[in-house]
Amino acid sequence: MSAAKPAGRSVRDISPDRLARLNAGEVEAATLTECLAVDFAVLMGNVLPEIGADALAEMKQGAAQGISRRMAFAAQLIRQNLGDTVLDRLGQHPSDTARGWACFMVGAAQMPLHDRLAAIRPYADDRHFGVREWSWMAVRRHLAAELESAIAMLAAWSADPSERVRRFASEVIRPRGVWCTHIGALKTQPQLGLPVLEPLRADPSGYVQDSVGNWLNDAGKDRPDWVQALCARWSAESPTPATARICKRALRSIKPDLQR
């Protein structure tokens, strides 16, 4: 007999009461499965009842889109019908999905890069794992378009007291990343990211260590020699467990016969 499936492994494992509370915006999703189970049209009607039936119908029609596109589409509908006046309301809402919509509203707004980073920072430091992911996804394209300026600004975030903000600084400019468009300049010239990465090479947080290791693993797909050389230097200059953990993660996809 096979082992029982852990609770929450699939959408059908979520109880009707729990799903209703998620769709009402009363609780945060506890797992990725719960994030994916939320009915955006129902939640939007509960969170923003003034948005109107036409917008909710459009949201319902967009339900088949992938989760990232659905998030951006929801933000687009909200801005078109209600403007940015509801941004603060969404940003303080109990629902992590609603706060995620706020992230994409920040990403869709017209503003200078410095202001955009200031606007997204509370979401980068959000208590919920999903909102923190939406925060970097929502603004990544803007940072990629002004990469040199973005890296200069993010370098200060690498010294932030919050591990969540430090992690954002690394995650938002990963050369490849997850569920996002690659940043070509960082694939060919990963050294451009060093102002952000160098201060994090011995970060005490495992959350940050994972991001930096993944950043370098991304870079190793295109520039393995550079990643190997960087890890060798970091290991010599910073012989700490944190640096060792980052380098192990960084080198995991480079074939052993290519490692020196």
Side-chain angles (χ1 to χ4, degrees):
M1 181 181 296
S2 60
K5 183 182 293 184
R9 178 69 64 83
S10 69
V11 173
R12 64 176 175 271
D13 294 321
I14 302 172
S15 71
D17 178 68
R18 175 69 179 173
L19 188 57
R21 295 192 71 198
L22 288 166
N23 288 334
E26 296 175 356
V27 295
E28 295 180 337
T31 64
L32 176 58
T33 299
E34 289 192 348
C35 291
L36 297 174
V38 173
D39 186 316
F40 280 24
V42 175
L43 177 63
M44 190 176 289
N46 286 321
V47 172
L48 300 169
E50 72 273 31
I51 199 168
D54 290 344
L56 295 179
E58 286 190 65
M59 189 70 257
K60 188 173 183 179
Q61 290 176 355
Q65 299 181 78
I67 183 65
S68 298
R69 290 188 177 184
R70 212 178 335 145
M71 291 293 293
F73 183 56
Q76 175 187 329
L77 285 175
I78 293 168
R79 293 189 77 237
Q80 286 176 347
N81 289 273
L82 301 176
D84 291 322
T85 59
V86 298
L87 179 59
D88 288 343
R89 192 165 126 208
L90 290 175
Q92 298 174 22
H93 200 277
S95 167
D96 59 284
T97 299
R99 299 200 302 278
W101 294 340
C103 293
F104 282 90
M105 290 179 70
V106 171
Q110 296 295 319
M111 62 178 75
L113 184 59
H114 182 274
D115 293 346
R116 195 181 305 280
L117 280 172
I120 206 65
R121 190 189 182 286
Y123 304 100
D125 201 24
D126 195 272
R127 64 182 179 269
H128 192 271
F129 67 91
V131 179
R132 297 196 296 271
E133 295 304 309
W134 297 133
S135 70
W136 70 258
M137 290 185 191
V139 301
R140 177 178 163 92
R141 64 186 176 91
H142 299 289
L143 275 63
E146 299 182 62
L147 188 60
E148 184 176 345
S149 296
I151 289 173
M153 295 177 195
L154 289 170
W157 290 38
S158 294
D160 196 274
S162 170
E163 67 176 37
R164 298 166 180 172
V165 173
R166 298 196 306 274
R167 189 259 188 177
F168 175 97
S170 168
E171 199 71 16
V172 72
I173 56 166
R174 276 178 57 181
R176 292 172 177 259
V178 180
W179 293 356
C180 61
T181 302
H182 296 178
I183 300 178
L186 290 173
K187 290 170 67 176
T188 58
Q189 302 177 75
Q191 67 273 14
L192 296 175
L194 287 177
V196 170
L197 300 177
E198 286 282 3
L200 303 176
R201 65 181 180 175
D203 197 280
S205 166
Y207 189 48
V208 178
Q209 292 167 21
D210 285 349
S211 181
V212 176
N214 289 338
W215 200 109
L216 294 175
N217 182 63
D218 282 0
K221 303 290 178 59
D222 301 284
R223 295 287 308 278
D225 290 347
W226 181 84
V227 172
Q228 290 168 27
L230 180 68
C231 286
R233 176 169 68 81
W234 279 8
S235 296
E237 296 175 354
S238 176
T240 67
T243 303
R245 185 171 183 268
I246 288 171
C247 291
K248 181 179 180 180
R249 195 171 190 88
L251 297 168
R252 69 185 187 274
S253 297
I254 298 176
K255 294 180 179 179
D257 58 337
L258 295 179
Q259 294 190 33
R260 293 194 290 267

